[in-house]
């Protein structure tokens, strides 16, 4: 009888220890689950925070510069973010082409006027005034700049590239200090 009582006491202590373990650790487990939920909720990407990223090339589908005679506006259903800019596309196929090799499609001199860059000036290019030459996309301030670029005999691309290399290195260093999406060299695709 004495052994039976001791065994029951031991079982009681074990049960109490197990229940104390769960009571003590349930708060830790709850905190972990709450933190996981909070972090995943923060990392959820919504259409509104994607659309807060600056739009590239005035919303034109960058692939359409290479495929058509007429440049087309993109559709917000097919988007990509690359190096801090948001690109929109007319269709899923264009979005996927861009994702495979974004550097192939990006305008030279980050969309600045190519003619101005050859004169060491940083003037925004107009995505509606462009030339695709030897697989490279160049934007221009206006048709006068485009015509001047086309008429020049000297090595305008080399001049503009030399100036742009210096400027791009400086801009790249500035980007490292910026917020979300700015440092990523990968393409993030979003389809809605």
């Amino acid at each position: 009888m004495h052994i039976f009582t001791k065994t029951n006491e031991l079982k009681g202590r074990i049960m109490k220890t197990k229940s104390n373990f769960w009571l003590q650790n349930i708060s830790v487990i709850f905190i972990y689950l709450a933190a996981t939920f909070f972090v995943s909720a923060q990392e959820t990407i919504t259409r509104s925070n994607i659309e807060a990223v600056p739009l590239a090339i005035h919303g034109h589908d960058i692939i359409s510069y290479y495929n058509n005679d007429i440049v087309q506006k993109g559709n917000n259903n097919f988007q990509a973010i690359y190096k801090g800019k948001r690109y929109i596309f007319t269709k899923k196929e264009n979005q996927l082409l861009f994702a495979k090799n974004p550097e192939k499609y990006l305008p030279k001199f980050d969309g600045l006027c190519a003619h101005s860059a050859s004169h060491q000036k940083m003037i925004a290019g107009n995505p509606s005034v462009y030339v695709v030459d030897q697989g490279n996309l160049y934007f221009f301030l206006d048709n006068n700049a485009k015509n001047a670029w086309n008429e020049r005999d000297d090595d305008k691309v080399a001049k503009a590239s030399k100036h742009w290399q210096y400027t791009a290195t400086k801009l790249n260093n500035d980007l490292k200090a910026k917020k979300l999406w700015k440092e990523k060299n990968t393409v993030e695709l979003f389809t809605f």
Side-chain angles (χ1 to χ4, degrees), residues 109 114-120 133-134 138 145 147-161:
F109 319 120
H115 178 67
S116 300
S118 68
H119 292 286
Q120 299 185 357
D133 184 29
Q134 297 179 2
Y138 300 98
N147 293 337
W149 174 268
N150 287 331
E151 291 173 4
R152 292 187 57 174
D153 292 328
D154 60 347
D155 197 0
K156 59 197 174 247
V157 176
K159 277 185 173 180
S161 295

Side-chain angles (χ1 to χ4, degrees), residues 3 16 24 29 47 73 103 105 108 128 148 167 182:
I3 294 175
K16 209 178 230 184
Q24 290 171 352
I29 292 168
R47 188 174 188 148
K73 285 281 191 175
E103 292 294 328
Y105 299 103
K108 292 298 178 191
S128 299
T167 306
K182 291 289 185 183

Side-chain angles (χ1 to χ4, degrees), residues 2 6 18 42 51 58 88 99-100 107 117 122-123 127 129 145 150 168-169 171-172 178:
H2 187 39
K6 291 285 185 185
K18 283 183 181 178
Q42 270 191 322
E51 290 176 354
H58 299 257
I88 58 177
K100 287 179 185 173
M122 307 296 285
I123 299 174
V129 183
N150 287 331
T169 302
L171 289 173
N172 192 36
K178 302 264 174 145

